[in-house]
RNA sequence: CGGGCUGUGGCGCAGUUUGGUAGCGCGCUACCUUGGGGUGGUAGAGGUCGCGGGUUCGAGUCCCGCCAGUCCGACCA
């Protein structure tokens, strides 16, 4: 179905609340572009697929970093930094890895006016530079495990780009670990996947499905790849983070070897795991609505915006009280007082709703007289008149309730949008109306996987840890090895 | 990478068919007014028409190339 190129946006008609963004139920893609630009998250840069991450958007990334970094440290990891440039010969050493990545590698071939003897790849991911370093650092089993993470950007020459979801350069973190045993490596791989699941659920309020990738969907060079998969507001899936057990493949390619207790030379077992600013895209597409962003309190740069109402002496009294409330609430929340004189209250309501602020506090002359204020929550739009007395507790509780509600809503959406399928026709039906996940049996044959992809555009998102009963492959009817989730993915 | 569409003050658009030297709404600036869901008024500022070439006396408008955005497809961790 070809959509109109541009859905007309509402003009300045009276009564139109949202006048800057497309209706997500009509054109979700346009809505997304409108939100990321109009809510001040990004601006487009001059190079294809590159964006400027503006302060309000970057703030979301800073919270992502803080929340994840805390979890990485708690699981024994340290941060380090490896170079942006990778010698071509390094990249070539792991065969599957090369085949997977070279189509989208950007190369540096000159420095100043000097033509380089060996081309340098701008990292598309850092296995090829970290592996050789680990090789130097590891001699003995006593040097293991190595548990390192780095925050950086990587570059991939993508053909079709979208802000956050697929960009030429993107911010992410990549953890790289080396272990003495296969068991340890596998534990680490699953431990970090669980960290991602916990982060999405408890910080982003996004319900995700953890599981294993199929052979054809796994990371180039990996033994096994795991992912957490999320469901966007339009029914398409998004791979929200991945964790790879690299087995001994990279250890062999980069000669990461150690002497074990018996004096035998062994290859280490390595893992890598990553989460990118794509998480911000998920945040937008899971919670956003027709008025724009909806941010869970834990991620919101501003959790409570105070809008004072009133003019003259009355307005001054309101503002004075608003400042007092701001100071009080500052103890329990991130509060912003919008006391700009040049905008009306109604304008500010729309302004902050577009930016997803979880709770708005309105304070006017009436409230001053009654020692009350009005709280409006962004997720449901509900208004409540509450006493100023004890406001700290009221607000803290409300923020908690918004956070919880968003997670509940996200979880319910995944449950409601996951439907059992017995045939390829049923998969087709679900993905064609972009209704979410199709859950069904899979025999494990890549041919069946490919057939579904060709006929419906859907891919196997993962093989969920939480297996459903599935006797037969929904594609070929042969006995199923496991139940999987199909969906159209970003 | 293939096909479609788009690019005109900060934003949204008209003007392109039929070439004649750029316009509207919002926003912005100043002042007044208003303020519980995008107040109203008066006076202003702001544009190498994405970039480069070509045709022409003359190009926003016609032709070619490129860049960027976007949709569909292919590809993709």
């Amino acid at each position: 179905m070809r959509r109109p190129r541009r859905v007309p946006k509402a003009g300045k008609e009276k009564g139109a609340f949202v006048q800057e963004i497309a209706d997500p139920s009509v054109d979700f893609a346009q809505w997304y572009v409108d939100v990321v630009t109009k809510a001040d998250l990004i601006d487009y840069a001059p190079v294809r697929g590159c964006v400027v991450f503006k302060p309000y958007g970057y703030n979301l990334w800073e919270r992502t970093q803080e929340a994840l970094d805390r979890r990485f440290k708690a699981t024994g990891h340290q941060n380090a930094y490896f170079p942006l440039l990778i010698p071509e010969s390094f990249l070539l050493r792991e065969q599957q890895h090369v085949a997977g990545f070279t189509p989208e590698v950007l190369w540096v071939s000159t420095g100043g006016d000097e033509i380089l003897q060996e081309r340098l790849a701008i990292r598309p991911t850092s296995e090829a530079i970290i592996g050789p370093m680990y090789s130097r650092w590891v001699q003995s089993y006593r040097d293991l495990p190595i548990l390192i993470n780095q925050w950086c950007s990587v570059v991939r020459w993508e053909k079709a780009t979208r802000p956050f979801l697929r960009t030429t350069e993107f911010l992410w973190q990549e953890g790289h670990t080396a272990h003495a045993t296969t068991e340890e490596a596998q534990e680490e791989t699953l431990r970090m996947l669980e960290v991602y699941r916990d982060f999405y659920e408890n910080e982003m309020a996004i319900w995700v499905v953890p599981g294993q990738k199929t052979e054809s969907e796994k990371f180039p060079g990996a033994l096994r790849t795991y992912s957490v998969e999320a469901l966007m507001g339009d029914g398409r899936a998004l791979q929200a983070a991945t964790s790879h057990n690299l087995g001994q493949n990279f250890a062999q390619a980069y000669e990461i070897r150690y002497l074990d207790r018996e004096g035998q030379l062994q290859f280490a077992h390595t893992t890598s795991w990553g989460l990118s600013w794509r998480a911000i895209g998920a945040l937008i597409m899971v919670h956003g609505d027709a008025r724009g962003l909806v941010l869970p309190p834990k991620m919101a740069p501003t959790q409570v915006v105070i809008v004072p109402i009133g003019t003259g002496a009355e307005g001054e009294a309101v503002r004075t009280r608003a400042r007092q409330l701001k100071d009080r609430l500052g103890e329990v929340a991130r509060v912003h007082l919008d006391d700009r004189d040049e905008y009306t209250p109604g304008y500010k309501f729309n302004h902050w709703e577009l930016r997803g602020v979880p709770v708005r506090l309105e304070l006017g002359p009436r409230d001053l007289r009654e020692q009350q204020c009005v709280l409006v929550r962004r997720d449901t739009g509900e208004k409540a008149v509450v006493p100023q007395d004890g406001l700290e507790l009221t607000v803290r509780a409300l923020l908690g309730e918004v956070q919880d509600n968003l997670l509940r809503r996200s979880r319910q959406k995944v449950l409601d949008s996951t439907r059992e399928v017995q045939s390829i026709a049923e998969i087709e039906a679900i993905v064609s109306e972009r209704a979410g996940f199709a859950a069904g049996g899979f025999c494990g044959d890549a041919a069946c996987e490919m057939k579904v992809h060709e006929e419906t555009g859907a891919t196997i998102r993962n093989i969920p840890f939480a297996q459903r009963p599935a006797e037969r492959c929904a594609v070929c009817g042969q006995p199923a090895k496991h139940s999987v989730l199909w969906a159209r993915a970003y």
Side-chain angles (χ1 to χ4, degrees):
Chain A
M1 288 295 105
R2 185 165 299 276
R3 287 181 225 155
R5 191 196 98 67
R6 194 166 279 172
V7 172
K9 286 163 203 168
K12 273 294 195 177
E13 299 88 5
K14 281 175 187 156
F17 273 139
V18 178
Q19 298 164 328
E20 298 178 21
I21 59 177
D23 182 342
S25 63
V26 175
D27 189 341
F28 195 81
Q30 184 63 46
W31 169 84
Y32 179 76
V33 169
D34 289 341
V35 169
V36 296
T37 54
K38 300 292 170 59
D40 270 337
L41 304 183
I42 63 120
D43 196 3
Y44 287 100
V47 179
R48 165 157 60 87
C50 291
V51 299
V52 175
F53 209 174
K54 296 174 75 176
Y56 192 70
Y58 195 80
N59 205 306
L60 297 172
W61 184 241
E62 289 179 306
R63 295 194 184 286
T64 300
Q65 287 184 302
E66 191 278 323
L68 279 176
D69 216 58
R70 186 169 9 109
R71 289 166 168 81
F72 295 159
K73 300 283 168 55
T75 45
H77 303 82
Q78 290 183 296
N79 286 325
Y81 185 80
F82 295 85
L84 168 75
L85 299 173
I86 304 176
E88 181 168 17
S89 57
F90 282 40
L91 203 59
L92 298 178
R93 286 176 35 196
E94 214 291 336
Q95 282 311 303
Q96 290 169 311
H97 194 61
V98 177
F101 279 107
T102 48
E104 46 193 57
V105 170
L106 258 80
W107 295 98
V108 175
S109 52
T110 61
D113 56 2
E114 179 189 349
I115 295 171
L116 303 184
Q117 299 237 331
E118 180 178 6
R119 290 196 299 175
L120 300 173
I122 300 174
R123 63 179 168 220
T125 176
S126 301
E127 276 79 0
I129 186 73
I130 292 179
M133 297 314 297
Y134 282 10
S135 167
R136 289 169 54 169
W137 299 344
V138 174
Q139 309 290 327
S140 144
Y141 71 92
R142 296 178 201 277
D143 297 325
L144 296 172
I146 295 185
L147 305 171
I148 289 179
N149 174 68
Q150 81 167 338
W151 291 95
C152 65
S153 72
V154 290
V155 174
R156 298 174 190 181
W157 197 241
E158 297 283 357
K159 290 154 189 167
T161 60
R162 325 190 65 176
F164 297 125
L165 305 177
R166 177 164 283 113
T167 46
T168 300
E169 178 184 9
F170 58 93
L171 291 175
W172 78 347
Q173 57 70 216
E174 46 179 325
H176 293 268
T177 68
H179 307 264
T181 67
T182 179
E183 291 81 10
E184 269 183 52
Q186 179 66 9
E187 265 173 40
E188 169 76 2
T189 307
L190 295 179
R191 179 182 302 121
M192 300 322 285
L193 189 76
E194 171 59 17
V195 162
Y196 292 137
R197 188 203 60 75
D198 181 66
F199 162 75
Y200 271 107
E201 199 171 301
N202 293 312
E203 306 286 343
M204 299 277 235
I206 294 175
W207 188 261
V208 292
V209 181
Q212 184 175 353
K213 286 287 185 181
T214 61
E215 279 301 298
S216 55
E217 293 276 335
K218 73 183 189 186
F219 179 77
L223 185 64
R224 288 186 284 274
T225 289
Y226 300 88
S227 71
V228 288
E229 301 283 331
L231 191 62
M232 303 300 103
D234 64 346
R236 287 174 76 177
L238 183 76
Q239 175 174 292
T242 50
S243 186
H244 316 289
N245 182 339
L246 303 175
Q248 293 181 308
N249 295 343
F250 287 81
Q252 284 166 6
Y254 297 111
E255 297 180 320
I256 308 172
R257 288 182 293 194
Y258 68 95
L259 273 180
D260 66 16
R261 289 163 200 268
E262 282 74 44
Q264 298 292 310
L265 202 53
Q266 306 275 6
F267 284 113
H269 298 74
T270 63
T271 81
S272 67
W273 25 274
L275 178 146
S276 75
W277 72 12
R278 181 180 257 205
I280 308 300
L283 188 67
I284 298 160
M285 291 196 293
V286 168
H287 300 308
D289 66 17
R291 294 186 186 193
L293 273 183
V294 177
L295 297 174
K298 286 186 182 174
M299 295 301 296
T302 296
Q303 296 171 309
V304 180
V305 62
I306 301 178
V307 179
I309 299 154
T311 53
E314 213 172 37
E316 263 320 300
V318 166
R319 273 150 212 265
T320 300
R321 176 56 57 86
R323 280 189 289 272
Q324 291 167 358
L325 292 182
K326 184 196 171 194
D327 289 342
R328 279 173 54 192
L329 290 177
E331 302 292 319
V332 297
R334 294 185 287 276
V335 186
H336 175 68
L337 171 61
D338 188 353
D339 60 357
R340 291 177 294 178
D341 200 35
E342 61 272 29
Y343 294 105
T344 59
Y347 179 94
K348 293 174 184 175
F349 297 168
N350 287 286
H351 178 89
W352 294 110
E353 280 173 4
L354 172 59
R355 286 160 181 75
V357 176
V359 171
R360 176 173 76 240
L361 190 158
E362 303 175 14
L363 188 73
R366 278 207 301 275
D367 304 310
L368 223 52
R369 286 193 293 274
E370 306 291 332
Q371 290 291 307
Q372 63 186 28
C373 61
V374 178
L375 293 180
V376 185
R377 51 191 287 185
R378 177 68 180 86
D379 59 336
T380 62
E382 286 173 274
K383 290 190 183 187
V385 179
V386 304
Q388 289 171 22
D389 198 36
L391 195 58
E392 296 90 336
L393 291 176
T394 312
V395 164
R396 188 156 61 183
L398 183 58
L399 287 170
E401 168 54 25
V402 171
Q403 181 83 27
D404 293 345
N405 181 51
L406 288 174
L407 178 61
R408 268 198 308 275
R409 199 196 264 178
S410 165
R411 175 171 180 272
Q412 196 59 46
K413 163 90 178 170
V414 173
L415 294 179
D416 292 346
S417 307
T418 304
R419 288 190 258 149
E420 302 283 346
V421 293
Q422 311 269 331
S423 68
I424 198 164
E426 289 176 352
I427 298 173
E428 163 84 61
I430 287 176
V431 300
S432 67
E433 59 189 72
R434 296 202 167 148
F437 290 120
F442 174 53
C443 64
D445 190 339
C448 284
E449 201 174 352
M450 197 183 304
K451 188 176 179 199
V452 172
H453 186 213
E454 281 170 1
E455 294 185 15
T456 72
T459 49
I460 294 178
R461 299 322 305 153
N462 67 20
I463 305 162
F465 293 151
Q467 283 284 292
R468 296 159 178 258
E471 297 196 354
R472 310 232 152 250
C473 176
V475 186
C476 66
Q478 294 296 305
K481 268 192 186 161
H482 26 239
S483 77
V484 301
L485 291 180
W486 278 281
R488 284 287 294 272
Y490 274 102

